[in-house]
Amino acid sequence: MIFNKSSILSILSCVLIYSSVQAAPKLPGNLEWITNDSDEVFASPKAVKGGKLHSFLLSFPLTLRYVGPDSNGSFRSAILGNKMALVASHPNTSGLFPSLATHWAYSDDNTTMYFKLNPDARWSDGKPVTPDDYVFTLEFMRSKEIIAPWYNTYYSDEIGEVVIYDDYTISVSSSKPRPRNELPSHVALNPTPRHFYKDLTGFVKKYNWSIAPNTGPYQISEIKKGKSITFSRKKDWWAKDLRYYKNRFNVDKIKTTVIRDINLAWEHFKKGKLDIFGLTLPLYWHEKATGEIFDKGYVKKLWFYNDAPQYAYGIWLNQDNPILKDRDVRLGIAYSLNMEKVNQEVLRGDYVRKNNYSSGFGDFTDLSIKARPFDLQKADEHFTKAGWSERGGDGIRIKGNERLSFTVTYGSDLVTSRLVVLKEEYKRAGLELVLRKMDGAASFKSALEKKHDIWWGALGGGDFPQYWGTLHSKNAHKAQTNNLTNTDDAQMDRLIEAFRSAMTTTERTDLAKKIQNLIHYQSAWIPTLETPYGRVGYWRWVQLPDVPGTRIGGPATSAFDFSSSFSTSDGGLFWIDKDIKKETLAAKKKGKSFPVVNVVDTTFKVAD
């Protein structure tokens, strides 16, 4: 038999087609597809579109990237809040509901979730969201070009693969089995637009100020470097009529202006130049939130109790400092921390002493762990044991030519009054605190680069406790990781690795409690205070739903979802009534009053 060139190519073509067909993955036949169109709708049907929200930032972001150097600042939440995941978590029931996917299913071994993509899903540049955008998420997050070690490791070690079955069906696998209620938090990925990130070479510099397409309700429409960033609502947003997104994200524009002094921002708010202002701080709720605009009902006050995981608020001791490497020094610092005096003298007793690194996580939280009390005798015992028994002429402990002195780095004027009290209390214990105030972004950058002795602040987020990024040795002794204490401990590593690998909720809760006890034992992170509520003031033209908040999210005054991938979707519940705004401003000119509104909402308050 004789074959010419044409017939050989034809045969090869048939073989390739056959191979392709044979290689195409097939969905398991026993999948049970799930959706959710029965949970309560938490947005108000009374909401109307339009208007402009005026908000503020204390510092301008260092980048618009959400990964890589300098990306982990406060503005990042606004960027991530416009990135949708495959499914979202209901802010009151914690059940899943459709987001970029319409349906989902689980593998029998709890390693994989299958998703049917919404064919209407679009990027902000109009291009469709494709299965390949999820494949690219793994390529993107694993790339060394993004200079994000935590993401490189997480997406390599914890996520298996993305499999494409057809134009609208994919699966995402975990590298190990997980409890079914936790699996979505690992595999319900955000897509990443391959058509935008065409070349990741030199990613950090190339995309530092690039406005990437997103899938959410808003897109950055204007940047004035160092001054303001404005978001505009997508009038044709693909998800605007979906059950759990309808009547949300109502304002047309959100202008965020940099106001570096919180006191100046407060003056802007009182003049109506800012629409909403956080009043959780007692100074604002009790003292500043008084006067004509409140007495005449122009501004409303809301105290809203929630039931949510708490951030890890505390002081973070850098164990790469040779003095802080000594556990007895760290224990001395813990026993010298007079948070009760700060709470009573500065915060009017409104706050609650935080006891545990992982508070608010239900069964995952070990309620038996209690923060070390203020006890100068025990502090002295530990400092003496560490060799700091002598004091200099100014009362500060000395060892040879060294003084027991540390710089505490922090990022807000609001914290200064607390630290001033603590500075004096620490002096009684023979320890000197040098206060180092920076703007928020610079303060956190200093901690990320491990240039701190002590950092005052909080890390956290998510529906389940997270430990690997902040406490595993792989993230110690290097810049741009969240291991701010430089914890490098073999026992901690083993527990964290077992926690990440555990297959049942019982195992994970047990391991989480062991980790929390080890955190408490090591005392490199020392808890400060927390609040199981949010307090806000808002001009009366800002309208809220009948229940003015959600169980997880708190007051309904957030412009965006708080999201990093799969997370609780609760943003954009308020709206602006332009007629009420005109009425209020006219009444203010004439001195006319409205009823005073001061609401304390306990819908989701946890019983004492």
Side-chain angles (χ1 to χ4, degrees), residues 227-408:
K227 295 182 178 180
S228 67
I229 298 178
T230 300
F231 291 82
S232 293
R233 181 170 61 86
K234 303 170 188 174
K235 301 292 177 63
D236 58 349
W237 182 41
W238 69 274
K240 62 185 175 64
D241 294 320
L242 297 182
R243 174 180 175 83
Y244 299 102
Y245 292 102
K246 191 174 182 179
N247 297 315
R248 295 174 61 192
F249 309 109
N250 301 299
V251 295
D252 287 340
K253 289 185 181 294
I254 300 165
K255 183 176 181 179
T256 304
T257 302
V258 175
I259 306 175
R260 300 182 187 277
D261 184 336
I262 191 70
N263 296 307
L264 182 58
W266 176 248
E267 294 303 317
H268 277 66
F269 174 70
K270 289 197 300 182
K271 294 175 182 177
K273 294 179 180 180
L274 298 174
D275 299 292
I276 299 168
F277 200 95
L279 301 177
T280 299
L281 287 169
L283 172 65
Y284 284 86
W285 181 263
H286 295 289
E287 296 180 26
K288 292 200 170 190
T290 57
E292 183 178 271
I293 61 173
F294 297 93
D295 296 341
K296 292 190 173 181
Y298 305 144
V299 174
K300 302 178 181 182
K301 293 170 69 175
L302 169 66
W303 183 328
F304 188 89
Y305 285 88
N306 60 5
D307 176 19
Q310 296 287 323
Y311 282 86
Y313 286 101
I315 60 174
W316 306 72
L317 310 183
N318 184 354
Q319 294 174 90
D320 278 358
N321 180 314
I323 299 175
L324 292 172
K325 195 172 185 66
D326 189 322
R327 177 172 175 265
D328 279 302
V329 171
R330 301 196 301 269
L331 289 174
I333 292 172
Y335 281 116
S336 306
L337 183 66
N338 196 346
M339 290 311 305
E340 181 59 27
K341 186 169 185 178
V342 171
N343 194 20
Q344 295 303 323
E345 290 192 0
V346 181
L347 302 171
R348 291 177 172 259
D350 285 358
Y351 283 29
V352 175
R353 181 68 198 269
K354 187 173 180 65
N355 290 304
N356 192 317
Y357 185 88
S358 302
S359 56
F361 287 94
D363 291 340
F364 284 91
T365 301
D366 189 339
L367 298 177
S368 70
I369 297 173
K370 302 298 179 186
R372 293 179 176 86
F374 177 68
D375 188 327
L376 289 180
Q377 181 177 338
K378 287 188 176 180
D380 181 66
E381 290 172 5
H382 285 287
F383 284 138
T384 298
K385 187 177 178 181
W388 296 90
S389 58
E390 296 184 28
R391 297 199 185 209
D394 58 358
I396 301 302
R397 294 174 186 269
I398 56 174
K399 183 198 286 189
N401 294 324
E402 290 187 293
R403 287 162 51 83
L404 192 61
S405 175
F406 305 106
T407 297
V408 57

Side-chain angles (χ1 to χ4, degrees), residues 148-178:
W150 187 92
Y151 286 97
N152 290 166
T153 302
Y154 180 84
Y155 280 85
S156 297
D157 293 355
E158 298 298 308
I159 307 298
E161 62 178 347
V162 174
V163 176
I164 300 174
Y165 296 93
D166 58 41
D167 288 347
Y168 299 108
T169 310
I170 66 171
S171 66
V172 186
S173 63
S174 166
S175 60
K176 58 183 74 74
R178 300 183 188 276

Side-chain angles (χ1 to χ4, degrees), residues 395-470:
I396 301 302
R397 294 174 186 269
I398 56 174
K399 183 198 286 189
N401 294 324
E402 290 187 293
R403 287 162 51 83
L404 192 61
S405 175
F406 305 106
T407 297
V408 57
T409 302
Y410 64 105
S412 172
D413 288 325
L414 301 174
V415 175
T416 302
S417 57
R418 306 177 203 184
L419 288 172
V420 167
V421 171
L422 290 178
K423 180 182 173 79
E424 293 305 309
E425 293 300 298
Y426 271 122
K427 195 178 292 184
R428 292 171 58 194
L431 185 153
E432 179 183 56
L433 274 191
V434 178
L435 306 188
R436 183 190 183 207
K437 161 69 174 60
M438 308 175 77
D439 75 26
S443 165
F444 190 55
K445 180 177 181 179
S446 177
L448 285 174
E449 294 179 348
K450 313 305 188 301
K451 295 179 179 178
H452 63 295
D453 294 333
I454 300 173
W455 183 69
W456 176 290
L459 293 177
D463 300 304
F464 302 97
Q466 304 291 327
Y467 303 111
W468 190 85
T470 53

